[in-house]
């Protein structure tokens, strides 16, 4: 995978600064006030050097960034009636201790489609957002790909817990609809991916697998 960078802002009790989030679809990286952080989930960004710089960033839990806000935009491919279009996904993440709050807003053709204001994880936020999209509009992200799926067990993390089966796609197409099939293929997964990542090998999954029932197709607001 090729790295992708997203420009945004970091804010905590000490102030704010422009930052750049970089990811290869699996690991996330960010530099805050001269210190590099890395992790597989947004609530697991830990200092690469192993120790937090004194007075540099907000307090941490287990070494991970917390008690701060991250805000960024990323370009997002969207399928509209089967044709590829380009949209922008705005992300606002409050990394509160043990209680993260996430809000997503998709900007497409002058309309804005939003998740709830305080979603607990990216999977839930994307599902809420998809329910508000007009018929025929589908996000081209790993969360909506035919080759991705969660571990069949209760509970999930904030982000980066989605398994990718692109290297076992032929086997995954059949048995993945049931829990036993996913378990049998689990060791053949290509790794875990960020739910908002978009891969060149994306293939739209069946609508019923997206966890989104169609609701009112009216945008929440106009840009």
């Amino acid at each position: 995978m090729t790295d992708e960078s997203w420009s945004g802002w970091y804010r905590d009790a000490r102030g704010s600064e422009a930052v750049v989030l970089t990811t290869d679809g699996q690991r996330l990286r960010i530099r805050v006030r001269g210190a590099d952080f890395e992790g597989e989930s947004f609530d697991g960004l830990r200092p690469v050097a192993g120790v937090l710089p004194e007075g540099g960033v907000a307090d941490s839990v287990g070494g991970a960034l917390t008690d701060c806000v991250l805000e960024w935009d990323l370009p997002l491919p969207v399928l509209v009636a089967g044709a590829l279009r380009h949209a922008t996904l705005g992300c606002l993440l409050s990394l509160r201790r043990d209680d993260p709050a996430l809000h997503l807003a998709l900007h497409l053709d002058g309309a804005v489609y939003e998740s709830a204001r305080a979603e607990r994880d990216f999977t839930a936020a994307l599902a809420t957002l998809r329910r508000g999209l007009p018929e025929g509009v589908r996000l081209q992200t790993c969360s909506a790909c035919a080759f991705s799926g969660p571990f069949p067990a209760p509970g999930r993390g904030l982000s980066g817990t989605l398994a990718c089966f692109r290297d076992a796609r032929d086997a995954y197409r059949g048995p993945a609809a049931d829990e036993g099939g996913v378990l049998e293929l689990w060791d053949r997964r290509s790794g875990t991916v960020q739910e908002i990542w978009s891969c060149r090998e994306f293939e739209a999954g069946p609508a019923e697998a997206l966890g989104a029932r169609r609701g009112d197709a009216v945008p929440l607001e106009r840009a």
Side-chain angles (χ1 to χ4, degrees):
M1 295 184 182
T2 304
D3 284 2
E4 187 172 312
S5 295
W6 307 323
S7 297
W9 289 88
Y10 168 91
R11 297 194 296 274
D12 62 18
R14 298 177 176 87
S16 64
E17 71 167 71
V19 293
V20 175
L21 276 161
T22 302
T23 181
D24 59 2
Q26 296 179 321
R27 293 192 68 79
L28 301 156
R29 299 186 298 279
I30 186 173
R31 169 169 285 195
V32 180
R33 295 176 188 144
D36 293 316
F37 294 80
E38 185 176 87
E40 294 182 355
S41 177
F42 283 95
D43 57 351
L45 294 169
R46 291 177 167 79
V48 174
V51 238
L52 282 168
E54 289 187 16
V57 296
D59 294 334
S60 67
V61 171
L65 282 181
T66 188
D67 287 344
C68 62
V69 173
L70 292 173
E71 186 173 6
W72 70 100
D73 293 333
L74 64 141
L76 196 70
V78 176
L79 295 173
V80 180
L84 183 63
R85 303 279 290 280
H86 295 282
T88 298
L89 184 67
C91 306
L92 178 62
L93 174 61
S94 177
L95 282 174
R96 302 180 299 215
R97 291 176 184 264
D98 303 318
D99 186 27
L102 172 68
H103 173 246
L104 301 179
L106 180 74
H107 299 256
L108 174 66
D109 293 337
V112 182
Y113 305 93
E114 299 183 80
S115 71
R117 289 285 171 178
E119 301 278 9
R120 297 300 299 274
D121 56 65
F122 279 84
T123 296
L126 287 165
T128 302
L129 194 156
R130 285 196 301 265
R131 283 194 290 269
L133 294 177
E135 191 69 35
V137 178
R138 301 181 71 175
L139 305 182
Q140 188 169 312
T141 62
C142 288
S143 65
C145 181
F147 310 133
S148 69
F151 185 75
R156 59 177 177 246
L158 173 63
S159 69
T161 59
L162 192 63
C164 173
F165 293 92
R166 66 182 181 276
D167 294 329
R169 65 186 68 192
D170 292 335
Y172 188 73
R173 290 177 199 274
D178 63 85
E179 182 173 307
V182 173
L183 289 173
E184 289 177 6
L185 291 171
W186 194 252
D187 290 340
R188 296 178 59 185
R189 67 190 185 281
S190 307
T192 56
V193 291
Q194 297 297 323
E195 292 78 2
I196 53 176
W197 181 253
S198 182
C199 173
R200 293 181 180 179
E201 297 182 63
F202 172 87
E203 181 177 307
E208 61 271 16
L210 299 184
R213 292 174 296 176
R214 294 294 175 188
D216 191 350
V218 179
L220 295 179
E221 62 176 282
R222 287 278 171 182

